[in-house]
Amino acid sequence: MTIESRKAGGEGTEAPVERRGRGRPPSRTDEETRAVIYDAARHEFAGSGFAATSMESVAKRAGVSTKTLYRLIPNKAALFEGTLTNRMDRFVSVVRLRACDGSNIEAALREALLICADLMLAGEVIALQRMLLAESDKFPDIAETFYKSAMQRTVATLAKWLRAQQQRGLIQLDDADAAAGMLLGMLAFEPQRAVMFGHKAAPTREELERRARDCAVLFLQGCAATPRLS
């Protein structure tokens, strides 16, 4: 708040005028701050590796104090796990909300696979996998964290989606978990490895859409529900 002078009543005296300052913007909640920190940490881990990433460098990138970072996340191992969990939570919610409704199984599967491809072939995810290959001998716990929090959870999410379609009578499966693993392998294994080892650039959006479509058609040809004989 500032004070300005103005003449009062047409006379030579001056009276103070109060002008309200703009004030500070509303502060973020802890949940919002964690989300900012996790985004910053993903870039730090992918770009610098686990060993070279420090809590201080993450705090600087996130624009928060190290005191705030340590208050919300106690150590680097917890930061890495939280970073993966946060990303997977968003992935799971998108698959559940966008790809599990409607009666067009081919279109729905294509959309679900495209969402999976967006996650598995994202630059930051491939960079994290490169980092894990290079540093997993020194830090086996982070490799285990990635396997459980990212890889297994991706398979489990797609398997849950497949079970929902099976319950509707749209597909037939003996083992949804095994089918999800095979489907994701068909979708992402070749392009992911090609990018990781520097043989190709990351797939374009058009290429991802075409691959998701082709995988959906091939998969459904093998597990399409057939009418039961009465």
Side-chain angles (χ1 to χ4, degrees):
M1 191 182 305
T2 59
I3 303 293
E4 288 184 347
S5 297
R6 73 178 181 187
K7 292 185 178 181
E11 299 179 1
T13 59
E14 293 185 346
V17 176
E18 294 184 348
R19 185 170 60 191
R20 188 177 300 276
R22 294 181 180 178
R24 295 180 179 178
S27 59
R28 288 189 301 244
T29 65
D30 284 351
E31 182 178 355
E32 291 169 336
T33 302
R34 282 193 188 91
V36 171
I37 290 170
Y38 290 143
D39 282 338
R42 266 191 297 275
H43 287 91
E44 286 293 311
F45 285 129
S48 303
F50 186 82
T53 295
S54 66
M55 297 288 275
E56 290 74 18
S57 65
V58 172
K60 183 177 180 180
R61 181 184 279 268
V64 301
S65 67
T66 53
K67 181 180 179 180
T68 296
L69 177 55
Y70 278 108
R71 179 176 65 82
L72 296 175
I73 305 164
N75 53 57
K76 190 163 67 171
L79 177 62
F80 184 76
E81 182 174 3
T83 297
L84 294 178
T85 301
N86 173 263
R87 181 67 181 87
M88 290 305 301
D89 284 346
R90 286 186 281 166
F91 163 70
V92 170
S93 67
V94 170
V95 172
R96 183 176 65 248
L97 293 175
R98 291 179 55 195
C100 285
D101 53 4
S103 58
N104 187 334
I105 181 63
E106 183 180 325
L109 179 58
R110 185 170 65 243
E111 184 176 4
L113 290 179
L114 187 58
I115 295 168
C116 292
D118 283 337
L119 173 72
M120 298 174 70
L121 298 173
E124 65 185 32
V125 174
I126 292 177
L128 282 174
Q129 288 183 302
R130 283 199 188 105
M131 179 268 288
L132 288 167
L133 288 174
E135 301 190 44
S136 59
D137 287 346
K138 295 180 180 178
F139 304 101
D141 288 347
I142 65 169
E144 183 67 12
T145 296
F146 185 85
Y147 180 74
K148 289 182 177 179
S149 298
M151 297 175 67
Q152 283 193 322
R153 198 170 173 196
T154 304
V155 173
T157 299
L158 184 58
K160 183 178 180 180
W161 187 94
L162 292 173
R163 288 190 192 93
Q165 312 318 310
Q166 186 175 22
Q167 290 170 359
R168 295 174 181 176
L170 298 174
I171 58 176
Q172 293 178 339
L173 291 171
D174 293 326
D175 187 333
D177 292 290
M182 288 185 278
L183 185 50
L184 290 175
M186 179 169 61
L187 173 72
F189 183 86
E190 188 278 330
Q192 189 180 66
R193 294 303 183 270
V195 175
M196 285 183 66
F197 292 103
H199 286 277
K200 290 183 181 179
T204 64
R205 186 67 179 179
E206 182 180 354
E207 290 170 334
L208 287 180
E209 290 175 352
R210 184 166 58 248
R211 193 170 185 89
R213 180 197 65 209
D214 292 345
C215 288
V217 171
L218 285 172
F219 181 81
L220 291 174
Q221 287 176 351
C223 68
T226 56
R228 295 180 178 178
L229 298 176
S230 55

